[in-house]
Amino acid sequence: MESAANPSHALALVLVDELARGGITDAVLAPGSRSTALALALHEDPRIRLHVEIDERSAGFLALGLARATGRPAPVVVTSGSAVANLHPAVVEADTGQVPLLLLTADRPPELRHTGANQAIDQLGIFGRSVRWFVEVGVPEDRPGAVGYWRATACRALAEAGGLSGPPGPVHLNLAFREPTVPLTDDGRARVAGPFEASLAGRSGGRPWTIVGRAPRHVPSAELRSLAARIAGTERGLVVVGQTDANVAVVLDLARAAGWPVIAEPASNVRTGDPVVGAAHHLLGNAAFARAHRPDLVLRIGRTGLSRNVAALLGPDVPQLLIDPHGGWHDPDRAVSELLVADVAATAAGLTALLAVTAGSDWADRWLEADRRVRRVVGSVLDEHDRPSEPRVARDLGAGLPDGATLVVASSMPARDLDAFLAPRDHLRVISNRGASGIDGFVSTALGVALGGGRPTVALTGDLSLLHDANGFLLSPDAPGIDLVLVVVDNDGGGIFSFLPQRRFEASFERVFGTPHGRDLAELARFHDLGHADVSTAAELMPAVDAAREAGGIHLVHVRTDRDENLALHRRIQHEVDAALADFA
């Protein structure tokens, strides 16, 4: 490994080398002066792709998108001061969404803190309890043991971000650099005694300084047999799956062995076929069906929360067992009666083996028959006219993407429409920032997913989500090629509020909730040199998306809708569903 000109240069070289040894392939940088040593070290290391963003908030979400796509933390580097505070929204999402993220924040040394020095704020513990681990690494010095300390710290940071002591999440290393921060012994403002003397070498063979191994948490065999017996003795059961990293196949195998239907949110990536109920939101919006189909036992996996109708079914009077590998307390309604802290895949596979055979049941058959009936009715309503609607965009986009594609979905109405209208299908990966469920950082998250995913990537967003993070398009012009199609449902404001009680306050609604922006998204596309296509009929959507994918680069596919019409359509759909189920319950 090369020698270092000064301690700041040494720390940067060692950290970047250890991150690369730990499997890091991408890093994000928002430019600044105090982080110079890290910026140069990352730029010069061929093992790591460096992505440069002007806006620190966008940089944080770009790193988060990379992590969602790859499962590995993507370091994000910023300079000192308010730049650090701008990472907080991404930290909140990484915390609540259990996404590995590594924050490398440059800082002024202690002698410049609390003195009025430029760009110096209190960065120690700035993210509070949102991070899994925080370390004030200390001012780099040429002393015995420094290199081992830096390397071990980098290894632990990666391990903690990946879930060493709990669920995956953000880790914060605060790095105080004294000048010179450039790889010189004298930058004209600060002198050091000479080059860094200690060896910077890591372990031989390119190995990390510390290798961390993890074993899945298994359920004791007696407890597993007892749970299998309960499942076998329960006909009226459900498997409900929210956002999770659990293996899709083993969850479906367990449901088939139990003879239970599955309700799966899109980002669970379990909505892939029988026995999945795709229209659960509409079915459970019918009061008679919901009463007649109250389950006797529910297995819950992951964090749910998209459908109020599903949440209403899962009340405290329904026995519910939540399985989570980290003991996540995913229970806002205080309805879960048991929490099993165990690896989901190992537990599901063990239960399936004990149940031994695939079971059938009238209970599951009735759920699936009702699902087919409702999806036919909903489809006929959506297909009546060729005018684009928000539900039809979600349905057609989810159905029309090629096998192997990734669909990144914004919070608010896009995520809910996908949940309500996506039919079960195979080979589609859905990603959504549903940790804190904010609309912020969506563009950057989608760009990060596209950079890290290695597969066709399409995003479904509303106009406000797009505008909220338009700075995300300000990636460095020499960034690696990004292929991303953003389908933008533009209803000129916040459409979700039309479904909420705020809608009754007509005098205030439009200004403080509807918030029309009046912006022309074609002008935004031109400003950022993006491809742009207007879609005026429903039939034009998928040809426009396919053409944009084939052209490559970043494109907006723009679909204009009307908020009042959307509300009326949702109400009509539920009315037609109720009529279709009148003789069913």
Side-chain angles (χ1 to χ4, degrees):
M1 189 175 181
E2 64 181 291
S3 59
N6 57 59
S8 293
H9 186 212
L11 172 59
L13 289 174
V14 167
L15 277 182
V16 171
D17 180 60
E18 198 61 46
L19 293 175
R21 289 165 178 254
I24 297 302
T25 58
D26 293 85
V28 181
L29 169 74
S33 178
R34 189 59 53 163
S35 54
T36 294
L38 274 174
L40 292 175
L42 284 167
H43 183 258
E44 293 167 3
D45 195 310
R47 297 169 293 180
I48 296 178
R49 293 191 305 172
L50 182 61
H51 313 284
V52 181
E53 272 277 22
I54 292 174
D55 185 319
E56 285 86 4
R57 185 180 69 175
S58 295
F61 278 101
L62 185 73
L64 187 140
L66 281 159
R68 282 203 180 277
T70 65
R72 298 186 298 273
V76 54
V77 177
V78 300
T79 192
S80 63
S82 62
V84 180
N86 276 285
L87 293 176
H88 211 149
V91 171
V92 168
E93 178 59 34
D95 172 29
T96 54
Q98 300 184 359
V99 181
L101 191 64
L102 181 56
L103 316 162
L104 303 179
T105 61
D107 200 355
R108 262 53 182 172
E111 63 269 18
L112 292 181
R113 299 174 187 172
H114 309 291
T115 65
N118 191 41
Q119 286 187 286
I121 67 170
D122 187 354
Q123 299 177 193
L124 305 189
I126 190 171
F127 302 119
R129 290 181 291 180
S130 294
V131 294
R132 304 293 181 264
W133 193 48
F134 165 71
V135 178
E136 162 75 328
V137 176
V139 177
E141 297 175 335
D142 190 352
R143 59 177 179 81
V147 171
Y149 163 58
W150 298 336
R151 289 188 179 276
T153 299
C155 288
R156 182 172 175 185
L158 292 178
E160 295 285 2
L164 177 65
S165 306
V171 165
H172 179 198
L173 301 186
N174 197 57
L175 305 160
F177 290 106
R178 285 198 180 102
E179 294 180 340
T181 59
V182 293
L184 300 171
T185 55
D186 179 359
D187 68 354
R189 294 177 295 177
R191 293 179 179 275
V192 293
F196 194 84
E197 297 293 340
S199 171
L200 304 183
R203 303 287 190 198
S204 62
R207 293 177 295 124
W209 194 260
T210 307
I211 297 174
V212 178
R214 300 182 184 87
R217 182 174 292 184
H218 290 277
V219 180
S221 57
E223 187 175 352
L224 197 67
R225 286 195 298 272
S226 175
L227 178 55
R230 286 173 62 191
I231 293 172
T234 305
E235 180 183 12
R236 295 170 62 94
L238 278 177
V239 178
V240 178
V241 193
Q243 191 155 320
T244 178
D245 293 327
N247 181 279
V248 171
V250 295
V251 173
L252 292 176
D253 286 345
L254 172 58
R256 294 186 187 104
W260 292 359
V262 176
I263 296 175
E265 292 187 356
S268 71
N269 292 299
V270 178
R271 194 180 290 195
T272 62
D274 285 344
V276 175
V277 178
H281 175 77
H282 302 297
L283 289 171
L284 297 174
N286 179 271
F289 183 92
R291 282 194 303 271
H293 291 80
R294 177 187 176 278
D296 294 328
L297 179 61
V298 176
L299 287 184
R300 294 180 60 167
I301 298 167
R303 178 182 172 185
T304 57
L306 279 175
S307 171
R308 290 188 177 186
N309 297 340
V310 173
L313 179 74
L314 303 179
D317 58 332
V318 176
Q320 298 174 55
L321 170 65
L322 171 65
I323 307 174
D324 189 88
H326 309 291
W329 206 274
H330 307 309
D331 187 26
D333 299 316
R334 280 73 171 175
V336 171
S337 49
E338 299 174 69
L339 171 62
L340 180 59
V341 182
D343 181 79
V344 173
T347 304
L351 289 170
T352 301
L354 289 169
L355 293 169
V357 295
T358 299
S361 71
D362 292 340
W363 161 258
D365 291 343
R366 285 182 63 78
W367 272 91
L368 295 173
E369 172 55 33
D371 181 56
R372 287 188 289 269
R373 182 184 296 195
V374 165
R375 285 199 280 119
R376 285 195 298 269
V377 168
V378 172
S380 67
V381 174
L382 295 183
D383 292 337
E384 275 183 3
H385 305 289
D386 202 27
R387 180 180 173 86
S389 67
E390 295 175 30
R392 184 165 176 180
V393 167
R395 184 201 66 176
D396 292 354
L397 186 63
L401 291 177
D403 286 354
T406 295
L407 177 59
V408 189
V409 188
S411 289
S412 198
M413 284 308 297
R416 287 173 172 83
D417 280 338
L418 195 71
D419 182 54
F421 298 100
L422 176 67
R425 62 156 293 181
D426 294 331
H427 310 301
L428 176 68
R429 184 185 187 191
V430 178
I431 291 176
S432 186
N433 280 345
R434 293 294 299 174
S437 300
I439 66 168
D440 49 342
F442 178 75
V443 169
S444 299
T445 299
L447 290 168
V449 171
L451 280 167
R455 58 174 74 190
T457 304
V458 176
L460 175 62
T461 180
D463 47 316
L464 294 188
S465 292
L466 182 86
L467 293 170
H468 201 289
D469 189 34
N471 275 4
F473 292 121
L474 297 174
L475 277 169
S476 173
D478 63 350
I482 303 175
D483 296 324
L484 174 67
V485 181
L486 294 115
V487 177
V488 187
V489 175
D490 181 5
N491 55 32
D492 193 25
I496 193 170
F497 292 106
S498 297
F499 294 81
L500 301 177
Q502 290 91 324
R503 187 67 182 87
R504 301 173 189 170
F505 297 87
E506 294 288 345
S508 304
F509 178 80
E510 196 65 5
R511 184 177 183 194
V512 299
F513 297 109
T515 57
H517 52 79
R519 300 300 192 271
D520 183 352
L521 299 188
E523 293 294 332
L524 177 73
R526 278 191 284 272
F527 177 76
H528 288 291
D529 197 23
L530 312 177
H532 178 271
D534 272 315
V535 168
S536 57
T537 69
E540 293 173 351
L541 174 66
M542 289 315 300
V545 171
D546 292 340
R549 285 195 306 102
E550 291 169 7
I554 306 173
H555 295 258
L556 301 186
V557 174
H558 188 191
V559 186
R560 291 179 174 85
T561 62
D562 179 271
R563 282 183 265 134
D564 290 337
E565 290 180 4
N566 184 51
L567 177 61
L569 177 61
H570 276 263
R571 288 174 173 170
R572 187 194 162 197
I573 286 171
Q574 191 60 54
H575 175 76
E576 297 291 339
V577 167
D578 291 343
L581 293 175
D583 64 342
F584 194 88

